[in-house]
Amino acid sequence: MYLGLKDSWRMLRAHVKPSRFINTFLVELSYFISRFTRKPIFWGMPTAISIEPTTACNLGCPQCPSGLKQFNRPTGKMSLQQLNTIIPQISRTTGYITLYFQGEPYINKDFTGMIAAATKEGIYTATSSNAHFITPETARKTVEAGLKRMIISIDGATQQTYAEYKIDGELEKVIQGTQNILSARKALKVSYPIVVWQFIVFAHNEHEIPEIKKMAKELGIDKLQLKTAQIYDLENAEKWLPANAEFTRYSEKEGRMALKAATKNRCSRFYRNPVLTWDGTMVPCCFDKDATHNFGNVHESGMKAIWKGNLRQAFAQKLKKGRSGIDICNNCTEGVRVWI
């Protein structure tokens, strides 16, 4: 889940602390100075962080390394104790935590405790889930923990279409999980979490866009967002890409599929929003799903030492020379239209 500049300022208004406000100003200023001078400058600490509760997932989505169980890195779950060593290092400067990277967060039994730990420090929390494990009790615990934003992945309006991509998934469980969250927040008389249905548009489901809009309205979903698909197997992309060119981020170039927009030699994610994998490893962004660009482990070195460290500085030099030479940048959405 990528936090852009507008979202950064929206988050600050809701969870403002002088130290976070100053930090965000420093981060944004250093990003723009670096962009125009082409010299890596790092002021401040991350304004937002994605933290991975687990790599485990109950589904087998064909274009997802978690679903395909194709990680080269170790798999596992972060403990609440591990998270509690991270939060004190970031609470003064970071106002937004996305408790999700790969995997299904609710598989981690400590998940609602993680939300509560961040909420206690006045940090805005968000997550993304396939909703299969959101029982009435889990929904109540989630709302009580203070989760502010929940993206629920729902890539079909019928079971047949949904299961075409969400292998082993049950649409009815997604709908029931959604209803459980909505019922829990109503019972507890709060307006959070904001519930977002995310519908990734593929060739097999683009015809169901009108129906998913109808379903979202009938259920009282706060927001429905249609998203273009990220494809890893570009050689066989035609199977997944929708016929409507407006619904895809790819086009054919020189006989192969590639991103419509050219890769530009700048990266706001790198300055604002790093990722911590379940074991505490920091990686540049959410596109490094296999953690191939390891900046260090926060449990061993500490957040500040890694954020300002030599490995991250070296990666910044690679960005300066050209993102086209960095593997994870070649399928990145920086400058690409993602939302429909």
Side-chain angles (χ1 to χ4, degrees), residues 1-3 7 10-11 15 96-100 105-106 111 115 119 123-129 134 142-143 145-152 181 185 191-198 222-225 339:
M1 194 181 302
Y2 167 58
L3 185 69
D7 288 325
R10 189 179 298 118
M11 171 272 296
H15 295 77
Y96 195 119
I97 291 179
T98 298
L99 286 166
Y100 170 76
Y106 282 98
F111 181 58
I115 298 169
T119 299
I123 299 173
Y124 188 105
T125 53
T127 195
S128 180
S129 171
I134 305 178
T142 299
V143 176
L147 185 72
K148 296 301 186 292
R149 183 179 180 88
M150 172 179 282
I151 292 178
I152 294 177
I181 283 288
R185 75 179 192 185
S191 58
Y192 55 80
I194 296 169
V195 177
V196 181
W197 265 7
Q198 181 171 278
D222 297 309
K223 183 179 180 181
L224 170 67
Q225 56 187 27
W339 310 108

Side-chain angles (χ1 to χ4, degrees), residues 63 164 201-206 229-244 247-248 250-258:
Q63 294 296 320
E164 181 78 14
V201 182
F202 293 103
H204 65 273
N205 69 5
E206 61 181 314
Q230 182 179 10
I231 306 297
Y232 290 92
D233 182 12
L234 289 174
E235 291 184 3
N236 299 300
E238 290 185 5
K239 174 183 177 181
W240 300 106
L241 296 182
N244 189 332
F247 296 164
T248 175
Y250 302 95
S251 62
E252 188 171 334
K253 296 179 182 179
E254 299 178 355
R256 63 183 298 272
M257 299 306 296

Side-chain angles (χ1 to χ4, degrees), residues 275-277 279-284 291-303 305-307 309-312:
V275 171
L276 296 181
T277 63
D279 62 355
T281 298
M282 183 188 289
V283 297
T292 55
H293 301 277
N294 182 340
F295 295 155
N297 191 291
V298 294
H299 301 307
E300 298 170 1
S301 305
M303 177 70 69
I306 296 173
W307 188 249
N310 293 335
L311 291 175
R312 193 163 172 272

Side-chain angles (χ1 to χ4, degrees), residues 39-51:
K39 294 180 180 179
I41 297 171
F42 300 113
W43 294 332
M45 295 291 289
T47 55
I49 297 176
S50 296
I51 298 177

